[in-house]
């Protein structure tokens, strides 16, 4: 039933936008709710989201709480708690990001003020003496150990 009424209202506003009925439907179904949403504060938006979540997901809790006043009070308490948690998380994120930005700034300043290193020379190996590998004299201590084995 409600779906049919919304379809009829949509058709009237789309097909006949200049009629007084279409203008009043547009004002009642679009302009007024958008104005209310624009005037809504953060805490009210959180309250509405929690209330919608309670209605759709916690029907047993709604039966236990009883009257609508208790349900709305419970939703308001939970929304204040959630708002406090979101504000604390945002402050913690800002504090951590400030620390990171300061560390990056200090690191960039250190790199820009650091004196440049000298270019390194490539070390060429010294040429060995022509007979450096020809140690066959036979009377060193290594020969004595080899003969003993």
């Amino acid at each position: 039933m409600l779906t049919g009424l919304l379809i009829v209202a949509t058709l009237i506003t789309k097909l006949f936008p200049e009629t007084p009925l279409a203008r009043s439907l547009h004002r009642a179904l679009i302009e007024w709710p958008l104005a209310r949403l624009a005037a809504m504060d953060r805490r009210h938006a959180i309250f509405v989201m929690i209330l919608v979540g309670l209605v759709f997901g916690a029907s047993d809790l709604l039966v236990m709480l009883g009257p609508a006043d208790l349900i709305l009070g419970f939703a308001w308490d939970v929304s204040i708690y959630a708002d406090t948690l979101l504000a604390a998380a945002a402050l913690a994120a800002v504090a951590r990001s400030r620390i990171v930005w300061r560390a990056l700034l200090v690191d960039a300043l250190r790199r820009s003020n650091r004196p440049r290193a000298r270019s390194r020379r490539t070390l060429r190996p010294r040429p060995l003496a022509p007979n450096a590998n020809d140690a066959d004299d036979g009377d060193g201590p290594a020969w004595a150990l080899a003969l003993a084995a």
Side-chain angles (χ1 to χ4, degrees):
M1 178 94 177
L2 180 64
T3 307
L5 288 175
L6 290 176
I7 290 173
V8 168
T10 304
L11 287 175
I12 289 172
T13 55
K14 287 293 185 182
L15 297 176
F16 310 107
E18 299 300 324
T19 61
L21 178 63
R23 280 183 281 191
S24 64
L25 283 173
H26 187 269
R27 200 174 313 117
L29 296 177
I30 294 173
E31 290 177 9
W32 184 75
L34 286 179
R36 296 285 293 176
L37 282 174
M40 192 179 287
D41 197 12
R42 180 189 71 241
R43 62 179 177 231
H44 295 117
I46 294 171
F47 171 69
V48 168
M49 287 189 302
I50 289 175
L51 193 61
V52 167
L54 279 174
V55 167
F56 285 125
S59 58
D60 296 340
L61 181 65
L62 296 179
V63 171
M64 287 189 325
L65 285 175
D69 296 339
L70 291 177
I71 295 167
L72 293 174
F74 177 72
W76 186 253
D77 287 343
V78 172
S79 70
I80 290 173
Y81 178 71
D83 190 23
T84 306
L85 286 179
L86 289 173
L91 286 175
V94 167
R96 287 184 181 177
S97 66
R98 288 180 64 198
I99 291 170
V100 168
W101 281 113
R102 284 184 185 167
L104 289 174
L105 180 67
V106 167
D107 189 42
L109 289 175
R110 279 189 194 151
R111 288 186 182 184
S112 67
N113 292 337
R114 187 180 302 163
R116 298 197 182 261
R118 288 193 226 167
S119 63
R120 298 180 184 238
R121 293 186 308 180
T122 57
L123 297 176
R124 291 186 219 150
R126 292 184 187 158
L128 297 174
N131 58 0
N133 202 15
D134 297 336
D136 291 337
D137 41 341
D139 50 336
W143 275 97
L145 288 174
L147 289 175

